[in-house]
Amino acid sequence: MVVDTVIIGGGVVGLSILRTALLSGYNAILLERNPHLCDGASGRNSGVICTGVDAAPGSLERALIRDSISRVREFCEDHNVPKRDCGSLVCLWPWDEDEEEVRAVDCDEKKVENEYEFGDDGEGVNKKLRLILRDSHIAGDADAAYLDSEAVATLEPSLSTKCKGAVHIPGEIVVDPWLFPLAMATHSREIGEKAGLGDVIQTGREVVMEKSEFDKNR
């Protein structure tokens, strides 16, 4: 089989690239050196599909994350992959307040305090949570909201009582970290078969770059 695109690594990123390449009309193949797909971090994670709260505001990373979450929802619905629209909490813990360094953000703190409503205890809201809420709203998470410690305990009664408050981001979801990439692998194989490419995923294959034709001709 002659291919024009080779993806190295059978984790969730590699499988996503393979599926996208095949849907775009490329003759693509994925090679994984281990006997099984998702044998690393892709098969051992929390499965959280986030809205980009950890990425820098205005960055390409956050833009890509926000674009991808809508695609993930659509993929799960089309391929019967279970997901939970559970949202997430960015919590404030006692040790967070001891940190002297806070991520630098170009903003007027007083303006941030005045722009968003935090309830009666607004003056006690930690700087970290104010900035996270502000960044979330700017990024498009209009439903993100501040929760005090009592509201957090009501929403998540099993959470440690040391939590001093949180920003609730309802747009985040959780998928099965094993079923999700396997669904992409199955769909990729279906596309490959229809295109006459055969099995587009080969495991137990390690690429030795020093023996490639490219290196021989240099």
Side-chain angles (χ1 to χ4, degrees), residues 5-210:
T5 304
V6 177
I7 296 96
I8 308 298
V12 64
V13 174
L15 290 167
S16 178
I17 294 172
L18 173 66
R19 177 175 172 270
T20 300
L22 292 168
L23 287 172
S24 300
Y26 290 96
N27 292 341
I29 188 172
L30 181 144
L31 305 179
E32 166 57 50
R33 68 178 178 179
N34 293 312
H36 306 289
L37 296 172
C38 300
D39 206 22
S42 292
R44 302 177 181 88
N45 61 79
S46 62
V48 174
I49 309 297
C50 70
T51 58
V53 66
D54 293 329
S59 65
L60 176 61
E61 180 185 7
R62 175 168 280 200
L64 292 174
I65 290 173
R66 296 198 61 78
D67 177 65
S68 69
I69 193 168
S70 60
R71 296 170 185 253
V72 168
R73 289 177 184 276
E74 183 179 349
F75 178 82
C76 289
E77 292 170 2
D78 291 345
H79 296 271
N80 199 29
V81 177
K83 63 179 177 66
R84 289 182 58 205
D85 295 279
C86 55
S88 67
L89 292 174
V90 182
C91 297
L92 176 69
W93 303 100
W95 48 87
D96 291 328
E97 295 185 311
D98 296 333
E99 294 179 358
E100 294 183 2
E101 249 182 76
V102 178
R103 176 170 52 88
V105 177
D106 182 19
C107 68
D108 183 331
E109 289 183 40
K110 202 65 186 174
K111 181 180 178 182
V112 172
E113 290 178 359
N114 295 334
E115 189 172 354
Y116 302 117
E117 294 295 330
F118 293 99
D120 295 335
D121 59 347
E123 300 232 344
V125 177
N126 177 271
K127 177 180 178 182
K128 172 185 173 182
L129 294 185
R130 293 201 311 270
L131 296 180
I132 288 173
L133 183 60
R134 170 189 179 271
D135 293 347
S136 297
H137 285 177
I138 291 173
D141 289 317
D143 294 330
Y146 168 73
L147 302 181
D148 61 21
S149 57
E150 291 185 8
V152 170
T154 300
L155 184 64
E156 293 291 345
S158 298
L159 192 65
S160 170
T161 55
K162 291 183 179 181
C163 179
K164 306 189 73 174
V167 172
H168 181 222
I169 304 177
E172 299 199 344
I173 64 177
V174 172
V175 299
D176 187 305
W178 183 245
L179 291 179
F180 181 75
L182 286 187
M184 287 197 291
T186 300
H187 191 216
S188 297
R189 281 181 160 139
E190 290 174 356
I191 300 170
E193 287 294 334
K194 289 179 181 179
L197 299 175
D199 191 355
V200 295
I201 297 175
Q202 297 186 21
T203 57
R205 294 287 301 274
E206 187 164 359
V207 179
V208 183
M209 292 304 295
E210 62 265 29

